[in-house]
């Protein structure tokens, strides 16, 4: 059961990262994927297995502006998973992702 949840979460995360990065335009999204591959040897398909690297890459490129992209991706992820998104103080991408995993496991 946990494996199914993990796989569903990874699939949804891959889709929402791709969709969320489109806020930068297609070329902007491609730049992020290029940077992940060049700087972190991380292919697009591997991003859901390494979300912390994705976050680090965004922060390297966009600084504090990365939070806007992270939040957009998380909102899309929660929506795709049917989870109500609630803003939480001091919560970042990884905390929201952990929370989503926990909620799915409890269902």
């Amino acid at each position: 059961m946990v494996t199914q949840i993990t796989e569903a979460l990874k699939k949804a995360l891959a889709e929402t990262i791709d969709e969320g990065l489109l806020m930068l335009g297609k070329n902007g999204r491609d730049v992020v994927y290029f940077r992940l591959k060049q700087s972190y040897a991380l292919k697009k398909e591997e991003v859901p297995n390494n979300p912390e690297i994705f976050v680090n890459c965004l922060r390297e490129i966009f600084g504090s502006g990365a939070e806007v992209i992270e939040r957009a991706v998380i909102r899309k992820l929660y929506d795709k998973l049917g989870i109500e998104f609630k803003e939480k103080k001091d919560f970042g991408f990884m905390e929201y992702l952990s929370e989503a995993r926990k909620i799915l496991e409890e269902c």
Side-chain angles (χ1 to χ4, degrees), residues 9-25:
L9 183 61
K10 285 181 185 177
K11 183 179 185 299
L13 183 58
E15 292 169 1
T16 55
I17 285 173
D18 209 45
E19 293 165 8
L21 287 176
L22 277 176
M23 71 187 308
L24 305 169

Side-chain angles (χ1 to χ4, degrees), residues 68-104:
V68 174
I69 301 165
E70 293 170 29
R71 192 69 42 113
V73 170
I74 286 296
R75 283 181 184 273
K76 286 179 182 293
L77 177 66
Y78 273 52
D79 187 50
K80 191 173 286 268
L81 296 172
I83 299 171
E84 183 184 352
F85 179 81
K86 295 178 185 168
E87 291 260 353
K88 296 189 178 181
K89 188 176 183 195
D90 299 326
F91 250 52
F93 188 90
M94 296 306 297
E95 290 81 13
Y96 283 115
L97 191 56
S98 293
E99 180 183 64
R101 180 176 285 117
K102 195 167 138 184
I103 290 169
L104 291 175

